[in-house]
Amino acid sequence: MSLAVASSDRLVTGVQRVRGTVRVPGDKSVSHRAALFNALGDGVARITNFSSGADCGSTLKCLQQLGVNLRHDRDWVELQGRGLRGLQEPDDVLDCGNSGTTMRLLSGILAGAGLFAVLSGDASLRRRPMARVAEPLRHAGALINGREGGSLPPLAIGPSQPLKATEHRPEVASAQVKSALLLAGLYADGVTRVVERAATRDHTERLLRAMGATVRTEATTVSVEPVERLECVDVEVPGDFSSAAFWLVLGVLHPNAEVRIQNVGLNPTRTGLLTILERMGASVQVDNARDVAGEPVADLVATSSRLRGTQVGGDLVPLAIDEISLVALLGLFAEGETVVSDAAELRGKESDRLAVVADGLSALGGDITATNDGWRIRASRLERGRAESQADHRMAMLFALAGAVGGGAEIGGADSVAISYPSFWADLERLTSDRA
Ligand code: S3P
């Protein structure tokens, strides 16, 4: 059960059981892309099951400032494409809120589209690394600047000469960087290539292809040809695997649990957590598998499981980048030791997740130590305590689960769940209510 305390604090008590069926919001990554790319298309697009998270709301507001006509109601968006070169110069700063995806993908688009625009965001976003997009975009001929030489927002992007066809080899495996470079590549004077260190989510490639662009993937190299036009397409957004992940973990961790999550996107570049759960011996069933608008979708059922410790690192990390923090919690309930490595990227997310996870779970009695690039975790008995989310949505939801399966938790910055999952607290209440 969770009780509201101060506006941004939340108290979660240990729960007796976890039962029921839940539908999570539409996928955040796919929603951003469906809105951004269709804005560059010719025609009209209807996007259904659009994410209710505040991040995707930030994308829509930026698009409106760029002259895009759209209607947005509950879980759908209808928007009129402006064509590849039809965006209007905004008359004020574009506020990307808390959303790194909005800022990085828009940087790629604006670099190519040849408008002057300034991109900024909240205090967390203004601390996040931007050189990873600014430098390669400049290398292709874009004019882009920002604080500390373009390393930090706000970013200012100016009209430039047509971009040059470029081969990029980003140092970090990041779908946001790959996407920004591919989007800029739509405007280049030849084929743009991105050679990734490891495969990352491929929603950009799938949607650009569906809109008529020529995008080729060979192992971890993706190339895009410049285009004259893109065709608007309707998108039915699958449920967000990254939100479903919280219920999967709650289901396998609680000793009296069975939870069904309906309509979850299972794009293989997103489901590293399923591989990790399987290795740990968790019971997760995939039901009713189908294809929705080119993305695999299914219902997932998670039940109480006995877990063993595991090692997570290497190419698996980008495939579970937003779920890796949950492995820290799983490790506290697994036999033996769990070690996560190669996850230094987590220090540059909405918060420094390596530190925030270690501090929060330690405060709840967990035996966890942060390393340079991950954690060492040992089986523990969790007690009541206070965990600070640092206003990071995924941290607030992680600590809520820790409280529910342990001895309770007071969570600071609990309102942040609205970034990706506004109904999280209501769904937790329902799934853990004694009356369910
Ligand atoms: C995202 C890519 C990932 C992920 C983020 C969404 C995307 O970020 O963490 O939540 O939609 O492309 P990075 O590209 O920084 O790894």
Side-chain angles (χ1 to χ4, degrees):
M1 237 233 329
S2 75
L3 304 167
V5 195
S7 77
S8 168
D9 283 0
R10 198 98 192 176
L11 184 62
V12 174
T13 54
V15 300
Q16 297 304 311
R17 59 182 211 150
V18 181
R19 280 280 181 289
T21 299
V22 63
R23 269 180 100 85
V24 292
D27 188 275
K28 193 154 80 72
S29 290
V30 174
S31 298
H32 282 300
R33 287 162 173 79
L36 289 166
F37 303 179
N38 273 306
L40 304 176
D42 289 340
V44 174
R46 188 173 167 85
I47 309 166
T48 43
N49 200 31
F50 188 81
S51 164
S52 50
D55 267 6
C56 295
S58 295
T59 286
L60 295 183
K61 277 196 221 118
C62 290
L63 286 175
Q64 285 174 311
Q65 281 183 268
L66 289 160
V68 177
N69 248 322
L70 60 87
R71 290 197 303 146
H72 179 203
D73 197 357
R74 281 176 48 89
D75 63 348
W76 59 264
V77 175
E78 213 167 68
L79 67 76
Q80 190 137 30
R82 293 194 62 95
L84 265 178
R85 288 167 213 282
L87 295 178
Q88 283 172 7
E89 204 158 72
D91 63 5
D92 202 351
V93 172
L94 298 174
D95 182 2
C96 303
N98 191 244
S99 174
T101 310
T102 308
M103 182 167 285
R104 295 194 178 117
L105 269 58
L106 265 179
S107 299
I109 292 172
L110 295 170
L115 309 171
F116 174 74
V118 178
L119 299 166
S120 194
D122 70 7
S124 151
L125 185 56
R126 282 184 275 118
R127 284 192 294 268
R128 295 184 65 185
M130 292 299 151
R132 54 183 61 194
V133 285
E135 277 172 12
L137 287 172
R138 270 189 207 134
H139 193 64
L143 285 179
I144 172 164
N145 221 322
R147 277 194 302 141
E148 295 190 15
S151 302
L152 291 172
L155 295 179
I157 302 176
S160 58
Q161 300 300 312
L163 300 184
K164 297 188 293 282
T166 309
E167 180 171 299
H168 302 282
R169 292 177 177 269
E171 275 171 29
V172 288
S174 157
Q176 293 178 357
V177 172
K178 170 178 66 177
S179 301
L181 302 176
L182 294 175
L183 289 163
L186 295 172
Y187 299 90
D189 62 5
V191 174
T192 294
R193 264 189 201 84
V194 184
V195 184
E196 293 204 277
R197 286 175 166 249
T200 62
R201 64 190 67 188
D202 66 354
H203 306 299
T204 292
E205 295 89 308
R206 287 177 189 242
L207 187 52
L208 286 180
R209 273 185 206 117
M211 296 178 74
T214 304
V215 181
R216 294 200 175 85
T217 305
E218 252 176 78
T220 55
T221 299
V222 187
S223 62
V224 66
E225 289 180 13
V227 279
E228 281 309 310
R229 64 194 299 273
L230 293 171
E231 203 65 54
C232 281
V233 291
D234 292 345
V235 178
E236 186 180 340
V237 181
D240 198 327
F241 181 83
S242 299
S243 299
F246 293 99
W247 307 131
L248 284 178
V249 169
L250 182 62
V252 303
L253 285 184
H254 196 281
N256 179 8
E258 180 171 325
V259 52
R260 172 179 286 268
I261 315 137
Q262 291 178 321
N263 188 44
V264 185
L266 292 187
N267 178 312
T269 58
R270 293 287 296 281
T271 52
L273 180 70
L274 290 183
T275 311
I276 298 166
L277 283 169
E278 196 181 338
R279 280 190 199 165
M280 296 184 87
S283 159
V284 175
Q285 195 184 312
V286 179
D287 262 6
N288 195 13
R290 57 207 186 270
D291 239 59
V292 176
E295 295 269 357
V297 168
D299 300 343
L300 299 174
V301 183
T303 42
S304 316
S305 308
R306 276 177 72 94
L307 302 180
R308 49 182 176 269
T310 189
Q311 313 245 332
V312 175
D315 291 359
L316 193 49
V317 172
L319 306 181
I321 191 69
D322 291 335
E323 293 73 57
I324 290 284
S325 306
L326 286 164
V327 179
L329 179 62
L330 289 163
L332 297 177
F333 289 80
E335 208 185 303
E337 193 179 51
T338 295
V339 180
V340 175
S341 54
D342 302 321
E345 263 300 290
L346 294 194
R347 294 203 185 274
K349 293 292 176 189
E350 288 85 328
S351 66
D352 173 347
R353 288 185 180 159
L354 291 188
V356 173
V357 166
D359 290 351
L361 293 181
S362 302
L364 301 178
D367 182 352
I368 172 168
T369 326
T371 63
N372 281 343
D373 65 348
W375 307 279
R376 284 185 173 279
I377 308 129
R378 284 186 200 82
S380 313
R381 176 176 291 275
L382 293 187
E383 305 147 5
R384 168 97 177 250
R386 180 174 170 89
E388 292 296 341
S389 71
Q390 306 296 350
D392 179 337
H393 55 132
R394 298 199 201 284
M395 298 297 95
M397 293 187 275
L398 169 74
F399 297 142
L401 302 194
V405 294
E410 197 180 310
I411 297 151
D415 291 354
S416 57
V417 303
I419 289 297
S420 59
Y421 196 164
S423 57
F424 174 80
W425 295 114
D427 287 347
L428 177 65
E429 192 87 42
R430 205 168 43 74
L431 290 172
T432 58
S433 136
D434 294 339
R435 280 165 282 115

